[in-house]
Amino acid sequence: NPAEPYRGDRKVDKKLKDSIGWCATRGDVDLLEEALKRRGLGARDAHGWSWLHHAAAGGATDHLKAILRVVRDRDDDDDDDECDIETSNDLNSSPSGTTNHGAGSGWCFSNLNNQIGCTASPADCWERCSDGYGDDLVAIDWWDDGSCDCQNDCECMHEVGGAPGYIFYTVTRDSAVAA
């Protein structure tokens, strides 16, 4: 069940309403997107939890989708980052020792979250990230426009489905993430 919206009659102070846990589970989704842009995707609370941890634990699907939009749109203002690549028809294969979780089944997020450019397929994305990060690579997120993000952790793979305009594939290292 998603977290219940705050209905208390006491005044909730600004610090609580600005906390990562509140914003990612109970706060207004538009305010969450503003907070994400202002504080950054890598922000953590005093317990080490990220926006994603709180939204997933709270079952806040709309908030998870907002986080995904910010992740996806973070570089939209820079035309140099747009992919102009012909993508492969083979989107479901993955290198040995990895699992391709398929379209829209979830995404990984880490402090690295490095968009390294454009590749033709999820497998190509893994190879390029592996060349740069070696054994530190835990997962990749590959977007249907060819954008490739390298991850050094997979804090959560939350099933969000393939929202229109946000179709992605995630490949994870079998030894680091349960398949």
Side-chain angles (χ1 to χ4, degrees):
N1 290 333
E4 290 292 321
Y6 179 76
R7 299 181 201 277
D9 48 313
R10 66 181 169 85
K11 182 178 179 183
V12 178
D13 65 337
K14 182 176 177 4
K15 188 174 181 180
L16 175 61
K17 283 190 175 181
D18 195 43
S19 72
I20 291 174
W22 180 278
C23 291
T25 58
R26 292 181 171 86
D28 180 83
V29 172
D30 292 333
L31 294 177
L32 168 62
E33 290 187 41
E34 288 175 26
L36 283 164
K37 290 173 184 172
R38 185 178 75 248
R39 295 174 66 184
L41 289 164
R44 303 282 180 147
D45 68 10
H47 304 286
W49 277 38
S50 68
W51 307 99
L52 191 58
H53 284 119
H54 283 285
T61 305
D62 289 339
H63 293 76
L64 283 164
K65 289 179 181 179
I67 294 166
L68 178 60
R69 280 193 300 274
V70 171
V71 169
R72 179 69 183 111
D73 295 341
R74 71 190 182 281
D75 294 322
D76 275 357
D77 294 337
D78 187 353
D79 291 338
D80 294 336
D81 290 341
E82 292 183 18
C83 289
D84 185 19
I85 190 170
E86 185 173 332
T87 58
S88 170
N89 290 330
D90 181 14
L91 301 179
N92 295 309
S93 65
S94 64
S96 177
T98 67
T99 299
N100 183 327
H101 297 273
S105 62
W107 81 97
C108 290
F109 178 75
S110 69
N111 286 331
L112 175 61
N113 201 43
N114 184 23
Q115 184 180 34
I116 60 156
C118 305
T119 62
S121 71
D124 292 344
C125 177
W126 181 273
E127 288 179 29
R128 182 176 287 172
C129 287
S130 185
D131 287 346
Y133 295 99
D135 290 340
D136 290 336
L137 182 67
V138 170
I140 61 95
D141 298 315
W142 184 85
W143 305 89
D144 63 343
D145 71 349
S147 298
C148 174
D149 295 324
C150 309
Q151 307 293 351
N152 63 356
D153 197 0
C154 190
E155 298 169 359
C156 175
M157 272 197 63
H158 189 78
E159 189 171 323
V160 296
Y166 301 100
I167 299 173
F168 50 90
Y169 293 74
T170 297
V171 176
T172 57
R173 183 182 305 276
D174 293 340
S175 62
V177 178

